Amino acid sequence: MTSWQEENKECLACEFQENLDILRQISFFSSVPLERLKLFAYICTREKFKAGEYLFRRGDDDGQAFFIISGAVSLVFPDEQSEEVLRSFVAGDFIGGLSLLGNIRRIFSLRAENDLECLMLTREKFKTTMQQFPELLPKIVKALVENIGAWEERCFAGRTDDCSSCRNSLGVSLV
């Protein structure tokens, strides 16, 4: 084996370990046993985007979830005349987990604010793994339900008494 091949093999092993460490941080995967989590770490890919590039656009059903390794993205709501930036996501944020579970058209667009590196998982790879290990689905759904409940609690705690639109947005955990 040449030194280049050895270095490349070491690099891939380091990336795999980094992917595994990242997945262990994501609540979506919090109940997945380590041996199965290793499969997800193996099938994830690293993707890079330049500032201004879109990860996805409104109306897409791309079936992709992203963990932001470095950089930031803007959640954008485009209409006919302009785009409204609603919020930013930064390194450490996981976006798009629901798209792994089924077809869902994006309501918003997601645009790189600066050079960006993400760990990406596709619905197809996720689905294939879930077919091989169906015992994982209840664990992932449990983590997702807990995330939705925690999100709604944060929304409720952050509301103001005079925010009627906030009140009308509450209750998503009842779905």
Side-chain angles (χ1 to χ4, degrees):
M1 191 178 286
T2 68
S3 65
W4 177 84
Q5 289 172 321
E6 289 172 7
E7 287 176 24
N8 192 38
K9 192 173 183 179
E10 286 178 25
C11 183
L12 290 175
C14 289
E15 187 174 294
F16 168 78
Q17 186 60 50
E18 289 173 8
N19 291 355
L20 183 59
D21 292 343
I22 288 169
L23 292 175
R24 293 173 98 176
Q25 298 172 42
I26 301 172
S27 59
F28 187 87
F29 296 102
S30 62
S31 299
V32 175
L34 182 59
E35 287 306 310
R36 301 298 181 245
L37 200 58
K38 288 178 180 178
L39 291 171
F40 287 114
Y42 180 73
I43 63 174
C44 287
T45 59
R46 299 279 180 115
E47 300 292 332
K48 293 184 179 186
F49 298 87
K50 297 279 185 203
E53 283 187 82
Y54 286 83
L55 284 70
F56 56 79
R57 292 184 183 266
R58 183 174 191 238
D60 289 351
D61 179 11
D62 60 321
Q64 298 172 339
F66 304 89
F67 177 87
I68 301 174
I69 296 171
S70 65
V73 294
S74 294
L75 185 67
V76 177
F77 186 78
D79 62 24
E80 292 80 35
Q81 285 93 20
S82 64
E83 292 185 333
E84 180 182 358
V85 175
L86 302 173
R87 67 173 289 191
S88 292
F89 293 95
V90 297
D93 287 333
F94 178 67
I95 305 161
L98 280 179
S99 70
L100 297 176
L101 297 172
N103 296 0
I104 185 167
R105 295 225 174 269
R106 302 292 190 176
I107 299 169
F108 309 101
S109 297
L110 198 64
R111 183 179 63 221
E113 291 179 8
N114 45 40
D115 289 351
L116 178 75
E117 183 177 10
C118 296
L119 186 64
M120 187 182 75
L121 180 59
T122 66
R123 182 184 307 132
E124 276 308 308
K125 289 179 179 180
F126 180 82
K127 182 179 172 183
T128 299
T129 303
M130 296 308 289
Q131 288 170 341
Q132 292 174 341
F133 304 100
E135 73 279 3
L136 297 179
L137 187 58
K139 296 174 186 218
I140 289 175
V141 169
K142 179 182 182 281
L144 185 60
V145 168
E146 289 171 357
N147 286 343
I148 290 170
W151 171 81
E152 191 160 48
E153 284 181 18
R154 286 190 307 273
C155 286
F156 188 72
R159 81 191 192 307
T160 59
D161 290 335
D162 62 341
C163 184
S164 60
S165 64
C166 294
R167 290 177 184 274
N168 291 333
S169 298
L170 295 171
V172 73
S173 61
L174 300 175
V175 172

